[in-house]
Amino acid sequence: MSFTAFHGMKPFSQLMFSAFVILVSFLIFMLIGMIAAVPLFGLDSMLNMPTISDMTNPESMRLLKFLQVVQSIGLFIVPSFILAWLFYGNTKAYLFLNRKSSTVSYLLVVVLVFFTMPIINFIGEWNNQMQLPEWLSGLEDWARGAEDRAIELTEAFLKVESISGLMFNIFMIAFLPAIGEELLFRGVIQRIFTRWTRNHHWGIWISAILFSALHIQFYGFVPRLLLGVLFGYLLVWSGSMWLPITAHFFNNAFAVVAMYLVDRNILDSKVEEIGTTSESYYAAVLSLVLVLLILFIIKKDNRGNELKPARNPEI
């Protein structure tokens, strides 16, 4: 029997209800995760949760990675499917998982992500150099501290010694976020704001702002915002969630694999600086031109599949 009690909700009500479902799902999954962690990692590990200073402790890292996986599932993936079912009844249709693009589009998306790196690094370096007014120095100190802690944690996660560790990192850092964050931010939140504003552009930009803000990294806010915008337009132009999921996956996977190769001296560490130095300014410009060209081709390849602003109150 179809459950229709939440069908036809107004966008603001959908947004508030979504926040409630996300919070409840997150708390339930973290509770389940902590209970499950006791037999897996021991009671002492749970009572003495690892901090940044414990990042060299392999047992601490295993516990943090386990909780990270649980968080990704409980915060992003499960709420997306629950909300899609409650709001529409057909989860695959609501989340645009029932549509596919051409093989050419998927290949172009992989190439697109590769060529975004210099311009994203360039913008990221500019964002990192931003300074707040003196009267906001306290906020700036907090933001810098949060950024440094996030970088330390990310680097600790990425530092692995085996292929199995690399594969798990790809699963944790690329696969789960690509599925979960795209389903929630592009499939649910972008859809809500598109309905609310009757405009795809507003829906894309507002959801991208929230997507970037959720990471609580002020000095990486702008490049992450632009990536969210890119993913949003890929969904609108193709009508398929699989295109932004593919882009998100390869964006994260490239970073994971690059760090692994750099740590083994297989790849020059300077590859991470492309777009961040004055010498690579031209690389950033070329990157931007190529990104715009590839986006144009992707949009043309998916002509006729574009999403229309939803006007049906059930959608």
Side-chain angles (χ1 to χ4, degrees):
M1 184 176 67
S2 179
F3 186 75
T4 61
F6 294 92
H7 292 198
M9 290 179 71
K10 298 296 183 183
F12 179 76
S13 299
Q14 282 189 331
L15 185 63
M16 293 298 100
F17 183 70
S18 296
F20 171 75
V21 170
I22 292 166
L23 177 61
V24 171
S25 176
F26 168 72
L27 293 175
I28 290 174
F29 269 80
M30 289 309 294
L31 177 61
I32 293 172
M34 289 181 179
I35 294 172
V38 173
L40 292 173
F41 301 96
L43 184 59
D44 288 342
S45 296
M46 293 305 301
L47 294 177
N48 300 284
M49 290 293 290
T51 62
I52 293 296
S53 61
D54 300 320
M55 293 299 101
T56 56
N57 184 333
E59 190 66 17
S60 296
M61 290 309 303
R62 281 193 289 270
L63 174 56
L64 285 176
K65 287 185 176 184
F66 171 77
L67 293 177
Q68 180 69 27
V69 168
V70 172
Q71 174 183 290
S72 293
I73 295 171
L75 186 61
F76 301 113
I77 297 177
V78 171
S80 299
F81 283 104
I82 291 174
L83 292 167
W85 179 70
L86 291 175
F87 290 158
Y88 193 54
N90 186 331
T91 55
K92 290 182 68 175
Y94 188 87
L95 297 172
F96 309 108
L97 294 171
N98 60 338
R99 306 183 185 184
K100 295 182 180 179
S101 295
S102 68
T103 302
V104 171
S105 285
Y106 290 111
L107 293 175
L108 284 171
V109 160
V110 177
V111 176
L112 171 70
V113 170
F114 180 79
F115 282 123
T116 59
M117 292 178 185
I119 187 62
I120 287 295
N121 287 344
F122 179 81
I123 295 171
E125 182 64 19
W126 166 79
N127 192 173
N128 190 53
Q129 300 301 321
M130 289 178 63
Q131 289 186 324
L132 297 177
E134 182 63 30
W135 58 279
L136 288 175
S137 58
L139 176 61
E140 182 170 357
D141 291 341
W142 172 84
R144 285 289 182 189
E147 188 82 11
D148 292 341
R149 288 190 294 274
I151 291 172
E152 286 183 55
L153 181 60
T154 301
E155 290 179 348
F157 275 167
L158 291 174
K159 199 169 187 63
V160 292
E161 302 299 328
S162 64
I163 292 294
S164 61
L166 172 64
M167 291 299 102
F168 184 83
N169 273 354
I170 291 175
F171 170 74
M172 178 184 70
I173 298 174
F175 180 78
L176 287 180
I179 297 291
E181 293 179 12
E182 290 312 302
L183 290 181
L184 183 63
F185 284 98
R186 255 55 70 181
V188 178
I189 295 176
Q190 180 173 309
R191 186 173 200 140
I192 290 173
F193 281 107
T194 298
R195 276 193 60 217
W196 198 344
T197 61
R198 306 295 189 191
N199 187 295
H200 277 304
H201 302 294
W202 279 111
I204 289 169
W205 283 89
I206 294 172
S207 60
I209 290 170
L210 295 175
F211 166 73
S212 187
L214 182 73
H215 291 79
I216 317 177
Q217 289 179 259
F218 176 78
Y219 293 98
F221 182 87
V222 177
R224 192 172 288 106
L225 162 67
L226 295 177
L227 283 173
V229 169
L230 174 64
F231 300 153
Y233 277 109
L234 287 176
L235 170 61
V236 171
W237 290 340
S238 70
S240 171
M241 181 61 68
W242 296 110
L243 226 54
I245 284 176
T246 301
H248 197 145
F249 172 80
F250 279 99
N251 178 74
N252 292 15
F254 282 155
V256 172
V257 173
M259 177 65 79
Y260 181 81
L261 296 177
V262 167
D263 282 346
R264 271 146 194 76
N265 297 317
I266 299 173
L267 194 64
D268 194 322
S269 61
K270 290 183 179 179
V271 71
E272 299 175 305
E273 300 175 3
I274 296 175
T276 64
T277 63
S278 56
E279 293 79 11
S280 56
Y281 173 79
Y282 293 109
V285 173
L286 179 60
S287 169
L288 178 59
V289 172
L290 290 173
V291 165
L292 293 176
L293 176 61
I294 297 170
L295 281 173
F296 173 78
I297 298 172
I298 290 174
K299 184 177 181 180
K300 184 177 180 181
D301 187 56
N302 287 276
R303 186 170 296 164
N305 298 324
E306 304 93 335
L307 297 180
K308 304 297 187 293
R311 298 187 180 278
N312 186 330
E314 291 188 353
I315 300 176

